[in-house]
Amino acid sequence: MPSKKKYIAHLDLDCFFVSVERIKDPSLIGKPVIVGGKADERGVAAAASYEARKFGIHSAMPTARAQKLCPKLIIVRGHHGEYSRISDQLFNRMCEIAPVVERASIDEMNMDFTGCEKLFNNDLPGYMKIIQKIVLDEFKLPCTIGLASNATLAKIAANQVKPAGIIFVPHGKEKEYLAPIDISVIPGIGKKTEEFLRNRGFNKVSDIQAKSERELVSILGKHGSWISRAASGQGSDVIGEESDAKSISREETFAKDISDRKTLEKIIFELTEDICRRLRSNGWTAGTVTLKLRTSDFKTITRAKSIDPTNDDTVVARIARELLKTSYTSRLPIRLIGVRLTNFDEEEQMELLLSPEKEKKQVVLKTVDQIRKKFGKDVIHIGGE
Amino acid sequence: MKFTIESNELQKVLIKISGVVPSKSTLPILENILFTLNENKLTLVATDMEISMSASLDVRGSENGSIAVPAKRVMDTLRALPDAQIVFNADTGNNKIKMITENGEYNLIGESSQDYPAIPEFKSSNELLIESSVIESIISKTVFSVSTDELRPAMTGLLLQFKEKEMRAVATDGHRLVRIIYTNLPQIKDQKDIIIPSKALNLISKAIESGSNTVSFSSTHIKFSFKNLTLTSRLIEESYPNYESVIPLENDKKLLADRNILLSAVKRVSLYSSNTTHQIRFSMKKDDLKIMAEDIDFGGEAKEKIACSYSAENIEIGFNAIYLIDILSHIDSQEVIFNFSSSVKAAIIKPVTMKENEDVLMLVMPMRLNV
């Protein structure tokens, strides 16, 4: 049987943080706004409105520099708990709409509509417009959706039509679609690689397509193989692997590669909080913690450790941090980090009441879960060790 | 530094102490073993900064000196060599080491003995003369139930409690517990509790020599001195949980069974238990014990009937088979007694016959039964 045509949609919320701030304060609409730290605190922009981007401002730019570019710039400190809460709500809503949903980051998600063509009158691109409208009507958030045969291409395409765009790259037209676009759109081509390629006459994706995978590997090393495939329109078409009940995991790809350990540890803790909550909601404990790292050269490192079965955030986060310590040398910045729990146990084995703290901890974790369920997951955090 | 020795003699001693050497350490010098030659006496020292071991052996020495030798390299070489005489020659000026056999020459680079950390000296406040067999018995009966959970550091060691007329050895991981009370040991001055890390206990059980030994300790360190070997370990300076409070006193349902028969039945039936939970079920009626297991995920079930003496009401109770096997394997009496109260309370397991002056109690928490 020939395999089904894959339909993966990539939904990207347009300058998400700014959009949320505009719901809270409509006077910000139509003005150049960034969400980020203040200039005198050496802050950087976490997000910039399209009005601000016209001045050349982009996320991760120091606020001081952004202010120089646009003196009328409005700086909002931001409500990060609120962003997570809304992102969660949107994710839950999309789970009602699409058969498989995967969160790519706080403001991006991938949805797999493979096999649903008939359900939507063979007009999936048309259905994307309906989804866009649902997001705007119910959440007051503008978004862009790319639909293609894989998640990588869907994301590239969505980036081309932002904001408030819809795009469909038909099957078989992937290469053709990418050919005239600038090479910087390919995920994995960072500033250095871009400069390196431009110096060698690569400017459009078609320039990359003209070279064989082997030639690119000889120029760029292993990394060339990924770029070659992405440039020809190939990419991951399996999403939502974590729905497999044998493991619970979460990973995050960063907008900008990170090499600061403290920041990585903080992200590990956030990922851990989420997966442990899901573990507890099933009444499970996990006996193995796996840390996944992808460095800027696309090398993936995974390290696992077996532990006494637990569902305690602080224990899992501690193990994950230890794994980070032993597996990450800081030589290259990290573009993706993930934590996975496997080797589940039901909480059947009874414990001696030797440590009242452990009993108390279970009560604390349960209470935290209830609070999060009611008020959103960022209203409360468990202190790290 | 230069001496001659039979390779197997050196290997025998190195095996005993090399367990201390950390495989990966932030202090690379610790991956070495310190060799010190004084006339015809070679002293070997290994440490991971928590535990230190030193051993001495007779060699034919020709030049005194001291050097830190890469533990893995030298162990691997000795393992690969047939029994042979070795001339060990180290230039302590440039740390080059040469091991020469009849047919071969092995050159390795050591490190300066100056860089090797010293074994901690401590002022012992208590000393105890104790037979090797007693030390071995204490360790073998308890160490299996020591916790590996680093979040509960006190439980990652063996508790020794010195009371007026007795010494207690206690180990627990929160699911099972072993308590042994000894009443025939020599008295010590202070009545105090110490917690010995399980790594130290495992090393001692491998290195122990027969005879009478001295155990000395302070509030921070313990030292085991055998004839040719000493082990010094830092103690775990934490307070041990109140284990007495979890030992039930009102377990009135008593089951008596042959230990060997029970152990082999549990082993057989557990082959059919779930790979993740290892749950087996004890179902007791008058003079009748049925052990059952089923693996819902992969299918398969097993049951066995065992003759026993039981006269209380019918009861069903679930256990992790691994815990039961551990406990039954470490009891040395022909018959065992189980004391139960209910299917959700701790079960006490005791040997029927015990050595004089030794009172052994083991305890295991049940697993919740779904049906």
Side-chain angles (χ1 to χ4, degrees):
Chain A
M1 200 177 85
S3 60
K4 274 181 193 159
K5 270 189 188 170
K6 286 275 186 176
Y7 286 94
I8 312 281
H10 177 84
L11 185 153
D12 190 331
L13 294 163
D14 299 328
C15 53
F16 175 50
F17 296 173
V18 176
S19 301
V20 174
E21 295 306 327
R22 282 174 170 168
I23 299 171
K24 295 170 90 77
D25 178 5
S27 75
L28 298 172
I29 295 170
K31 291 179 185 156
V33 181
I34 63 163
V35 173
K38 285 184 180 160
D40 53 6
E41 293 165 0
R42 301 170 55 125
V44 294
S49 73
Y50 284 91
E51 293 79 3
R53 290 185 201 191
K54 279 182 196 153
F55 291 88
I57 296 166
H58 54 79
S59 56
M61 177 182 276
T63 307
R65 219 176 115 210
Q67 263 178 325
K68 263 185 206 153
L69 292 171
C70 171
K72 282 189 176 168
L73 185 69
I74 303 170
I75 298 147
V76 186
R77 191 174 271 286
H79 301 79
H80 290 268
E82 187 76 0
Y83 308 150
S84 298
R85 193 178 61 79
I86 293 176
S87 172
D88 281 354
Q89 287 171 351
L90 181 66
F91 178 77
N92 292 337
R93 180 72 177 94
M94 289 303 120
C95 288
E96 295 167 11
I97 290 174
V100 187
V101 187
E102 171 193 74
R103 195 186 293 225
S105 71
I106 193 165
D107 58 354
E108 292 167 301
M109 50 192 87
N110 293 319
M111 294 173 272
D112 188 348
F113 287 98
T114 307
C116 303
E117 304 88 313
K118 276 194 185 152
L119 211 59
F120 301 108
N121 300 323
N122 288 321
D123 182 21
L124 276 175
Y127 189 60
M128 295 304 116
K129 279 185 197 147
I130 298 175
I131 293 178
Q132 194 180 45
K133 194 165 179 305
I134 290 172
V135 179
L136 191 62
D137 290 351
E138 294 181 17
F139 294 86
K140 310 275 175 274
L141 294 172
C143 72
T144 298
I145 303 177
L147 181 68
S149 55
N150 63 69
T152 316
L153 184 60
K155 183 180 162 87
I156 296 174
N159 281 339
Q160 302 314 302
V161 295
K162 289 181 85 165
I166 294 275
I167 184 167
F168 171 51
V169 183
H171 291 82
K173 302 275 183 198
E174 291 89 349
K175 226 172 150 176
E176 196 178 310
Y177 166 76
L178 286 169
I181 306 179
D182 189 85
I183 54 165
S184 60
V185 302
I186 305 286
I189 299 191
K191 279 231 169 75
K192 275 192 186 153
T193 315
E194 184 184 333
E195 198 188 316
F196 181 86
L197 286 170
R198 285 201 201 286
N199 288 338
R200 279 156 187 76
F202 294 87
N203 287 307
K204 299 264 183 276
V205 177
S206 56
D207 300 331
I208 299 177
Q209 290 171 349
K211 299 280 178 202
S212 71
E213 185 174 332
R214 186 180 287 183
E215 284 171 297
L216 285 166
V217 170
S218 71
I219 303 170
L220 294 165
K222 269 191 227 162
H223 194 31
S225 157
W226 159 273
I227 290 176
S228 165
R229 272 180 276 139
S232 62
Q234 296 171 42
S236 165
D237 61 5
V238 181
I239 67 161
E241 277 175 335
E242 66 175 62
S243 58
D244 177 6
K246 294 281 178 220
S247 76
I248 292 183
S249 66
R250 248 200 82 182
E251 50 187 57
E252 194 165 325
T253 308
F254 312 129
K256 196 165 174 277
D257 296 351
I258 298 176
S259 52
D260 175 51
R261 270 171 197 277
K262 280 267 168 288
T263 313
L264 291 170
E265 285 182 5
K266 193 168 162 273
I267 295 164
I268 285 178
F269 197 84
E270 286 166 9
L271 298 177
T272 305
E273 273 189 325
D274 187 45
I275 54 179
C276 284
R277 177 182 54 80
R278 279 152 55 195
L279 195 64
R280 286 193 294 274
S281 71
N282 285 309
W284 291 337
T285 55
T288 306
V289 181
T290 307
L291 180 76
K292 176 173 167 186
L293 298 170
R294 186 168 295 151
T295 46
S296 58
D297 62 351
F298 276 76
K299 206 176 139 216
T300 306
I301 308 164
T302 52
R303 291 281 181 280
K305 189 173 178 192
S306 295
I307 51 167
D308 266 358
T310 184
N311 52 24
D312 183 340
D313 306 7
T314 46
V315 179
V316 173
R318 178 173 59 85
I319 301 294
R321 282 201 305 262
E322 280 173 23
L323 290 171
L324 177 73
K325 209 186 247 173
T326 52
S327 58
Y328 180 49
T329 56
S330 301
R331 201 174 55 82
L332 285 169
I334 297 287
R335 57 175 284 120
L336 174 150
I337 197 161
V339 184
R340 187 170 73 217
L341 299 175
T342 46
N343 207 352
F344 297 151
D345 235 343
E346 309 268 342
E347 292 174 291
E348 287 166 349
Q349 174 64 52
M350 299 174 67
E351 289 231 29
L352 289 165
L353 300 177
L354 277 166
S355 45
E357 330 79 79
K358 203 167 173 183
E359 297 291 303
K360 269 190 214 155
K361 192 69 179 284
Q362 283 301 322
V363 177
V364 169
L365 290 172
K366 221 168 240 171
T367 314
V368 167
D369 286 346
Q370 282 165 356
I371 293 172
R372 284 193 186 143
K373 203 169 174 188
K374 200 159 175 188
F375 300 106
K377 79 178 181 197
D378 259 341
V379 296
I380 186 164
H381 292 278
I382 295 164
E385 286 166 27
Chain B
M1 173 180 156
K2 189 175 177 183
F3 63 85
T4 309
I5 191 171
E6 294 300 319
S7 63
N8 59 340
E9 301 267 311
L10 181 59
Q11 193 186 3
K12 235 189 284 170
V13 181
L14 279 172
I15 285 173
K16 287 185 180 176
I17 69 162
S18 60
V20 182
V21 178
S23 55
K24 257 189 189 159
S25 170
T26 42
L27 273 179
I29 185 81
L30 301 183
E31 290 164 29
N32 293 273
I33 290 175
L34 182 67
F35 281 46
T36 304
L37 181 72
N38 190 359
E39 306 297 337
N40 288 325
K41 189 65 91 188
L42 175 69
T43 308
L44 307 172
V45 174
T47 180
D48 66 358
M49 302 302 277
E50 294 286 316
I51 300 169
S52 307
M53 275 180 104
S54 100
S56 57
L57 68 163
D58 294 328
V59 298
R60 288 189 296 287
S62 46
E63 192 187 325
N64 288 353
S66 185
I67 191 164
V69 183
K72 188 174 180 308
R73 177 56 66 87
V74 76
M75 287 292 290
D76 287 348
T77 311
L78 289 171
R79 209 173 290 130
L81 274 177
D83 288 356
Q85 199 173 64
I86 299 180
V87 178
F88 188 101
N89 193 347
D91 181 341
T92 49
N94 59 16
N95 299 327
K96 283 187 178 163
I97 302 163
K98 207 175 261 194
M99 291 196 291
I100 303 163
T101 63
E102 195 185 347
N103 302 317
E105 185 180 305
Y106 310 92
N107 292 296
L108 57 163
I109 307 289
E111 291 195 50
S112 165
S113 60
Q114 307 282 325
D115 298 334
Y116 202 83
I119 291 188
E121 293 289 331
F122 66 95
K123 206 167 161 246
S124 127
S125 47
N126 292 282
E127 216 165 84
L128 200 64
L129 212 63
I130 190 165
E131 284 296 317
S132 292
S133 57
V134 177
I135 298 180
E136 267 181 317
S137 151
I138 294 175
I139 295 173
S140 79
K141 284 179 187 162
T142 55
V143 82
F144 70 92
S145 70
V146 170
S147 170
T148 52
D149 182 358
E150 284 159 22
L151 282 185
R152 296 198 273 184
M155 283 157 60
T156 62
L158 171 72
L159 171 73
L160 290 186
Q161 274 189 313
F162 296 93
K163 301 198 175 228
E164 203 176 337
K165 285 187 176 145
E166 60 184 46
M167 184 195 85
R168 295 174 170 215
V170 180
T172 180
D173 65 357
H175 298 133
R176 58 231 163 119
L177 180 145
V178 181
R179 184 198 68 189
I180 310 177
I181 304 175
Y182 296 89
T183 45
N184 62 339
L185 292 177
Q187 296 285 300
I188 62 155
K189 275 183 286 171
D190 300 338
Q191 290 170 23
K192 59 159 71 180
D193 295 358
I194 57 171
I195 306 171
I196 311 169
S198 59
K199 184 181 175 186
L201 300 170
N202 288 322
L203 288 165
I204 291 167
S205 60
K206 271 186 213 144
I208 201 159
E209 296 161 3
S210 59
S212 190
N213 309 287
T214 319
V215 178
S216 48
F217 57 91
S218 67
S219 56
T220 56
H221 287 83
I222 188 164
K223 182 170 169 183
F224 293 84
S225 309
F226 307 116
K227 196 168 152 238
N228 292 313
L229 189 139
T230 61
L231 180 144
T232 309
S233 171
R234 196 190 285 271
L235 293 169
I236 299 174
E237 292 175 75
E238 298 273 341
S239 56
Y240 206 79
N242 179 9
Y243 69 90
E244 286 291 349
S245 68
V246 300
I247 300 177
L249 304 168
E250 70 287 358
N251 281 13
D252 51 352
K253 302 180 180 62
K254 195 169 110 181
L255 178 137
L256 183 83
D258 183 281
R259 183 188 70 95
N260 264 330
I261 294 175
L262 183 59
L263 176 58
S264 30
V266 169
K267 280 182 179 169
R268 279 188 297 272
V269 171
S270 70
L271 299 173
Y272 291 80
S273 67
S274 147
N275 253 339
T276 47
T277 66
H278 307 285
Q279 187 179 86
I280 57 169
R281 185 185 293 243
F282 272 31
S283 175
M284 285 155 281
K285 287 183 194 151
K286 185 166 170 32
D287 294 339
D288 179 80
L289 166 64
K290 210 186 277 169
I291 307 173
M292 297 170 280
E294 62 175 335
D295 186 346
I296 296 163
D297 294 337
F298 295 98
E301 55 176 14
K303 51 188 154 204
E304 262 195 53
K305 239 171 140 174
I306 286 185
C308 67
S309 153
Y310 182 76
S311 53
E313 73 221 51
N314 298 356
I315 178 176
E316 279 216 331
I317 184 163
F319 289 113
N320 180 327
I322 292 177
Y323 295 163
L324 266 194
I325 292 169
D326 268 348
I327 284 180
L328 291 171
S329 310
H330 290 91
I331 285 180
D332 42 21
S333 132
Q334 200 196 329
E335 287 182 306
V336 283
I337 301 175
F338 278 72
N339 286 297
F340 304 102
S341 72
S342 83
S343 61
V344 292
K345 294 268 172 64
I348 290 176
I349 305 164
K350 284 179 144 196
V352 170
T353 50
M354 287 187 243
K355 281 184 200 143
E356 201 185 342
N357 306 320
E358 185 187 276
D359 176 22
V360 178
L361 176 143
M362 303 203 182
L363 179 155
V364 63
M365 282 304 279
M367 292 180 84
R368 276 189 197 88
L369 291 171
N370 291 326
V371 193

